[in-house]
Structure formats: C-alpha cells, structure tokens
Amino acid sequence: AQTVTQSQPEMSVQEAETVTLSCTYDTSESDYYLFWYKQPPSRQMILVIRQEAYKQQNATENRFSVNFQKAAKSFSLKISDSQLGDAAMYFCAYREVNNAGNMLTFGGGTRLMVKP
Amino acid sequence: KAGVTQTPRYLIKTRGQQVTLSCSPISGHRSVSWYQQTPGQGLQFLFEYFSETQRNKGNFPGRFSGRQFSNSRSEMNVSTLELGDSALYLCASSPGQGFSSGNTIYFGEGSWLTVV
C-alpha cells in the first residue's frame, strides 16, 4: 500500500520569508500524481499545487513551487514571500494513475505558522 | 457556481445511534468521495461513488456505508456509533472518471460529528 509521510508536524516562518515543507512517499508504481493541499481553519481543503510523476519539470504556482525527486520519493513544497494568509495545515497527497477513481492517500500534515 | 455543500455542519450523537451525512457536489460533477479526519488517524479515505456506483472503498468496517443518487448527491451512514467515530467527515467532488489536469478534486467544509 502507498504511504505518505510528513516528518514536520509544525513549522514557522517569518512573514515575507521562504519556507519548505517536506513530504516523502512510498509506492511501487512508476506513474502517479502528487498534491499539496492547504486546510485553513475553515477546514475546507484547497488544492495548492499538483505534480505528475512522469513530468521531470517541477510544478510552480505563483509563490508555491515543488521540488520533486522521484528516485528519492520526495516531494517538498516551497512557499516564497510567505503571507499571513498562508498559515494553515498543509497536507501532501498521493494518487495512483491507474486507479480510475479519485482516492487520495494523505500524509499526516504540517501546521504552518506565519509570524508577522 | 456553488461549491461542495455538506449538511449538517455540526451534530452530536449518542453511542449506539446511527447518523446520515449528506453531500451535494458541484453541479455537473459525477464523482463524490468521503474522507474521515481525526487527530489520531489523520485523513483517511472512506469510499467513492461515481454514477451511483461505488468504485473505491477504504479500510473501514461495514458500519460505514454510502450511496449516491441519480443527481450525484451522496449520503454516508454510520450505524451503531462508537466514540472513535467522532471526526470531521469531508466530502469531495470531481467532474468525472479518471484524472486529468482538469479533473480537480474539490472539497466541502465538512461535517463535524461528535459521539458522546
């Protein structure tokens, strides 16, 4: 079974600084998708960024970028120019390609605090 | 366009009772998934429905069940409630079958269930 591990339960960053959240995963599949979701206090999960495993280029969405290391099974999220609104729980998630459905396997989450 | 709507948002039940939670997906979405979120176990996949058929199921006891109606609305039911069923139950919807860059999974704000 696939597993996703986030080794940092909590992280803090100064406003306007850069922070990197770590995620590792275990799978025997060669093709899959990886995601970072943000969960603010409202509890609604919001997609931050996605990465297709077959793509070597790291995904970028504005201030959010990933460092995808397929051989190391590592998928970290970098947040640049951190803003107070970035404070939230962040979850790394994995999805098989061959599964026709939308089943996600989540990591345990990292609570990000942003200091003004 | 309305988002994923979950009702009720908050409820308290007694051990041994049963509960039904409802999820209305985004208009036009045919896939609905359910997740349980607890502090101890994190986010765990319950099941997914597509066109009224369950196509994925997580590792939960048979007390957890669900269904999907012809209008894509979904309900999940938990019978013989236990204290450990206290959790946030998240519903997610997506447009259709399989995954593509356009097939984003959207989450609702969840239903908070407390079992006393």
Side-chain angles (χ1 to χ4, degrees):
Chain A
Q2 291 79 13
T3 58
V4 179
T5 302
Q6 294 178 247
S7 59
Q8 306 152 316
E10 280 192 1
M11 292 282 286
S12 66
V13 62
Q14 206 70 35
E15 197 176 4
E17 296 294 307
T18 295
V19 65
T20 298
L21 308 184
S22 301
C23 171
T24 58
Y25 57 94
D26 187 27
T27 182
S28 57
E29 302 290 326
S30 60
D31 206 6
Y32 45 86
Y33 302 100
L34 296 165
F35 308 87
W36 278 98
Y37 278 89
K38 171 184 178 182
Q39 188 179 44
S42 71
R43 293 295 189 147
Q44 185 171 25
M45 302 284 279
I46 302 165
L47 178 65
V48 174
I49 199 165
R50 67 165 67 86
Q51 174 81 42
E52 288 91 340
Y54 68 87
K55 290 185 178 178
Q56 294 186 342
Q57 186 173 7
N58 290 324
T60 299
E61 288 285 345
N62 301 313
R63 298 182 295 107
F64 299 88
S65 61
V66 299
N67 183 4
F68 173 50
Q69 301 290 325
K70 191 173 184 180
K73 294 181 181 176
S74 170
F75 182 60
S76 61
L77 174 70
K78 185 172 83 171
I79 306 174
S80 305
D81 185 26
S82 296
Q83 301 175 359
L84 295 178
D86 295 334
M89 283 291 291
Y90 285 81
F91 291 93
C92 178
Y94 167 99
R95 183 194 179 281
E96 287 184 5
V97 166
N98 293 326
N99 189 309
N102 290 305
M103 184 176 79
L104 297 172
T105 301
F106 285 93
T110 297
R111 181 176 303 280
L112 177 65
M113 295 172 285
V114 181
K115 300 176 182 177
Chain B
K1 200 171 187 182
V4 180
T5 304
Q6 294 187 242
T7 57
R9 292 293 318 282
Y10 304 91
L11 66 166
I12 300 173
K13 290 287 188 178
T14 304
R15 270 183 303 176
Q17 287 186 316
Q18 73 166 10
V19 66
T20 299
L21 308 178
S22 179
C23 173
S24 293
I26 292 172
S27 177
H29 285 194
R30 296 165 64 193
S31 166
V32 175
S33 307
W34 289 89
Y35 292 83
Q36 182 196 64
Q37 186 175 20
T38 61
Q41 299 298 318
L43 276 155
Q44 293 185 287
F45 173 80
L46 280 156
F47 30 65
E48 181 201 4
Y49 288 87
F50 178 81
S51 293
E52 302 178 66
T53 301
Q54 185 183 89
R55 69 177 176 183
N56 279 301
K57 189 177 189 303
N59 189 25
F60 277 81
R63 299 186 297 106
F64 292 81
S65 63
R67 59 177 175 169
Q68 186 179 34
F69 302 95
S70 58
N71 62 358
S72 293
R73 189 178 70 86
S74 176
E75 289 181 348
M76 66 162 283
N77 184 77
V78 188
S79 62
T80 318
L81 283 166
E82 301 176 359
L83 295 179
D85 297 332
S86 296
L88 175 68
Y89 290 88
L90 289 165
C91 172
S93 78
S94 64
Q97 193 163 359
F99 180 83
S100 66
S101 59
N103 195 16
T104 299
I105 300 171
Y106 297 87
F107 284 81
E109 292 186 306
S111 292
W112 283 99
L113 171 64
T114 300
V115 182
V116 297

